[in-house]
């Protein structure tokens, strides 16, 4: 915030001093005339007193005062800034807005109703109302850290699998190291959503939605304001702020131009994938699916079916990688192994043994050797195609022909930004 304001106004004062001076001056004159026959004289006295008092008041500039200066300055000079009060009142008709979108007059670049890529460029300031919430990656990390502290209670410890908890803590420790004191936020924008018009996506104000055609309404996607913040800068206990879905205003600076299809909350995770692909993919599945596993109440039969399908698909992927054509007997054997060992997929560690049994069956039956790197890649591929985690939680709605991203869903769009201030 300080950097942003100083780029507009130059040097910023850090202290304000005021000097107050008060002085009192009083004067008393008295005199007596003496009249003599020979000499006429005047006797008198004069008394004067001065009293002065000085005081100095020193005021330090706080971050709140700096924000007030920045907010007031941008509202007065930045006509392109997107802010809630500009959208007060009745919106224009769609015929008028369509004409402006075609002609693109100067007023089009300052209206708040329909926002295209030119309005959402890197560096532009945006003030929007959002539902304040941490990204699922941080939320599940916080939950696991809290659970780890609570397992000392014997009543809670009996309901938690110690092996699963140990593995979750190990991965969570890596996540916390990668976040490095940063808190990723994923906040749903209250007043705007994304719609497709003539093959192009636009951010449209909710007051304009009623005038949209039905086929355009069917393209609606929620818009999320995403970015990272520093944990040390929060003014309250972070658990009271980021787990309440409170409606707040957020002043942000757009970091990536336009509407984004995906967002990575932990940038270092992508670097980790280049060095340790298996660990990077497990972190993806852990961060995106563990929260669903904690929240969803699935039957044991449904979870078992998910794990069986993962193992069967894995066998098919390995066979395809080795150029093997599976016959009915081989498929039947893979299905038997999948049903017998599906319970191992509950654990990150034990799941490796279940996958290894599938590989050994194919190696022994067809006299082939499966490369260990290929086995790891296809294991991650199988989980992704099913859209599940080793815990059994379905994280994505996918088809066997698509390879999803762990941080992409079909009904979400993102505005990748730098958070300047969060307030209400």
């Amino acid at each position: 915030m300080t950097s942003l304001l100083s780029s507009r106004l130059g040097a910023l004062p850090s202290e304000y001093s005021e000097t107050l001076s008060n002085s009192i001056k009083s004067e008393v004159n008295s005199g007596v005339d003496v009249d003599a026959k020979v000499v006429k004289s005047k006797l008198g006295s004069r008394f004067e007193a001065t009293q002065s008092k000085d005081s100095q008041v020193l005021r330090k500039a706080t971050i709140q005062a700096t924000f007030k200066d920045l907010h007031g300055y941008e509202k007065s000079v930045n006509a392109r800034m997107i802010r809630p009060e500009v959208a007060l009142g009745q919106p224009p008709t769609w015929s008028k807005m369509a004409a402006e979108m075609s002609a693109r007059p100067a007023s089009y670049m300052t209206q708040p109703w329909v926002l295209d890529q030119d309005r959402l460029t890197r560096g532009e300031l945006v003030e929007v109302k959002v539902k304040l919430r941490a990204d699922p990656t941080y939320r599940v990390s916080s939950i696991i850290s809290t659970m780890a502290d609570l397992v000392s209670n014997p009543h809670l410890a009996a309901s938690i699998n110690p092996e699963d908890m140990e593995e979750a803590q190990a991965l969570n420790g890596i996540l916390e190291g990668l976040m490095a004191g940063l808190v990723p936020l994923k906040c749903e924008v209250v007043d705007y959503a994304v719609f497709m018009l003539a093959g192009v996506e636009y951010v449209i104000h909710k007051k304009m939605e009623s005038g949209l055609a039905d086929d355009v309404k069917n393209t609606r996607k929620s818009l999320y304001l995403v970015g990272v913040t520093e944990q040390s800068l929060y003014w309250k206990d972070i658990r009271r702020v980021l787990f309440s879905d409170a409606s707040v205003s957020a002043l942000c600076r757009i970091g990536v131009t336009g509407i984004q299809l995906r967002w990575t909350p932990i940038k270092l995770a992508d670097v980790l994938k280049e060095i340790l692909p298996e660990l990077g993919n497990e972190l993806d599945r852990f961060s995106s699916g563990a929260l669903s596993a904690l929240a969803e109440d699935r039957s044991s039969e449904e979870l078992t079916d998910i794990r069986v399908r993962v193992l069967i698909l894995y066998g098919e992927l390995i066979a395809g990688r080795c150029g093997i054509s599976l016959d009915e007997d081989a498929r039947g054997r893979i299905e038997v192994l999948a049903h017998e060992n599906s319970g191992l997929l509950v654990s990150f560690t034990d799941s490796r043994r279940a996958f290894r049994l599938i590989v050994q069956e194919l190696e022994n039956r067809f006299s082939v050797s499966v490369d260990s790197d290929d086995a790891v890649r296809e294991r991650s591929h199988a989980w992704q195609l099913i859209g599940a985690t080793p815990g059994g939680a379905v994280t994505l709605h996918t088809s066997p022909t698509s390879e999803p991203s762990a941080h992409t869903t079909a009904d979400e769009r993102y505005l990748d930004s730098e958070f300047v201030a969060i307030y209400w």
Side-chain angles (χ1 to χ4, degrees):
M1 185 183 302
T2 303
S3 174
L4 190 60
L5 185 58
S6 61
S7 68
R8 266 71 164 167
L9 302 180
L12 303 178
S14 59
E15 295 179 349
Y16 298 87
S17 61
E18 297 177 356
T19 302
L20 303 177
S21 179
N22 186 20
S23 63
I24 302 174
K25 181 178 181 180
S26 60
E27 181 177 320
V28 178
N29 288 308
S30 63
V32 178
D33 289 335
V34 179
D35 189 4
K37 292 183 177 180
V38 180
V39 180
K40 186 176 182 180
S41 64
K42 184 177 183 180
L43 300 176
S45 65
R46 185 171 182 267
F47 175 76
E48 181 179 311
T50 303
Q51 181 181 6
S52 63
K53 180 181 180 181
D54 293 336
S55 61
Q56 189 176 42
V57 179
L58 184 65
R59 296 184 294 129
K60 288 191 175 182
T62 63
I63 193 63
Q64 287 82 1
T66 303
F67 168 71
K68 181 181 178 181
D69 292 340
L70 173 65
H71 192 258
Y73 174 82
E74 292 295 338
K75 286 177 66 176
S76 62
V77 303
N78 189 355
R80 287 173 55 97
M81 179 180 170
I82 302 166
R83 56 184 190 271
E85 60 266 27
V86 181
L88 295 176
Q90 291 298 317
T93 61
W94 262 108
S95 58
K96 180 179 179 181
M97 182 55 63
E100 288 194 5
M101 293 171 66
S102 178
R104 301 182 68 84
S107 60
Y108 176 72
M109 297 307 297
T110 58
Q111 54 82 27
W113 308 110
V114 178
L115 311 177
D116 57 14
Q117 302 282 3
D118 292 337
R119 289 294 302 279
L120 304 174
T121 56
R122 175 180 169 87
E124 291 290 339
L125 285 178
V126 177
E127 182 185 20
V128 290
K129 293 181 180 179
V130 299
K131 293 180 181 179
L132 185 59
R133 173 177 277 202
D135 184 83
T137 301
Y138 182 82
R139 289 161 55 203
V140 73
S141 177
S142 300
I143 291 171
I144 290 176
S145 297
T146 303
M147 290 177 64
D149 295 336
L150 294 176
V151 292
S152 57
N153 186 312
H155 299 288
L156 292 175
S159 62
I160 298 176
N161 187 322
E163 293 183 1
D164 292 346
M165 194 64 199
E166 183 179 352
E167 293 166 356
Q169 283 183 272
L171 282 176
N172 189 44
I174 299 174
L175 269 180
E176 291 179 342
L178 292 174
M179 285 190 287
L182 298 177
V183 180
L185 302 184
K186 179 184 175 184
C187 309
E188 185 176 2
V189 179
V190 174
D191 293 331
Y192 289 93
V194 176
F195 294 87
M196 183 80 71
L197 297 174
V200 180
E201 289 188 329
Y202 291 86
V203 175
I204 298 178
H205 197 278
K206 65 179 181 181
K207 290 183 178 180
M208 299 287 293
E209 292 185 23
S210 59
L212 293 172
D214 291 339
D215 58 336
V216 176
K217 290 181 180 179
N218 293 334
T219 65
R220 188 185 192 279
K221 297 175 178 61
S222 298
L223 179 65
Y224 288 86
L225 190 67
V226 294
V228 295
T229 55
E230 293 187 35
Q231 186 171 354
S232 60
L233 297 181
Y234 281 85
W235 67 100
K236 287 185 178 181
D237 186 331
I238 199 168
R239 292 167 295 184
R240 296 173 56 191
V241 177
L242 298 182
F243 289 82
S244 62
D245 281 346
S247 180
V248 301
S249 294
L251 180 64
C252 296
R253 194 179 191 186
I254 297 177
V256 181
T257 298
I259 305 165
Q260 303 302 309
L261 301 180
R262 69 183 303 271
W263 178 66
T264 303
I266 305 176
K267 307 302 181 183
L268 288 178
D270 290 336
V271 179
L272 184 63
K273 289 180 186 178
E274 298 178 3
I275 304 172
L276 300 170
E278 179 185 2
L279 182 57
N281 291 329
E282 284 194 358
L283 283 175
D284 268 349
R285 294 192 300 272
F286 172 74
S287 60
S288 62
L291 191 62
S292 299
L294 291 172
E296 293 180 359
D297 183 18
R298 294 183 176 274
S299 65
S300 59
E301 293 82 4
E302 186 178 1
L303 294 176
T304 299
D305 179 65
I306 292 171
R307 296 163 190 155
V308 168
R309 288 193 292 117
V310 168
L311 289 174
I312 293 174
L313 178 59
Y314 178 70
E316 294 173 352
L317 292 173
I318 291 295
R321 173 78 67 169
C322 298
I324 298 172
S325 178
L326 296 176
D327 54 27
E328 291 298 325
D329 186 48
R331 289 181 182 277
R333 180 57 185 163
I334 290 175
E335 291 180 5
V336 170
L337 288 173
H339 283 281
E340 290 177 348
N341 299 283
S342 61
L344 297 176
L345 268 61
V346 176
S347 166
F348 286 104
T349 303
D350 292 343
S351 64
R352 295 186 177 92
R353 183 153 58 94
F355 287 115
R356 183 59 189 164
L357 289 173
I358 300 293
V359 171
Q360 289 177 346
E361 172 64 25
L362 293 175
E363 287 180 332
N364 294 336
R365 178 177 289 271
F366 296 98
S367 300
V368 296
S369 178
V370 179
D371 183 77
S372 59
D373 291 337
D374 290 341
V376 170
R377 279 191 286 268
E378 296 304 342
R379 187 167 70 201
S380 298
H381 196 191
W383 280 118
Q384 290 175 347
L385 290 178
I386 294 298
T389 69
V394 175
T395 60
L396 297 165
H397 298 287
T398 60
S399 63
T401 58
S402 62
E403 184 171 348
S405 167
H407 299 282
T408 302
T409 58
D411 296 328
E412 296 179 0
R413 292 294 182 266
Y414 308 100
L415 193 60
D416 198 339
S417 307
E418 300 171 358
F419 283 83
V420 178
I422 300 170
Y423 49 96
W424 59 85

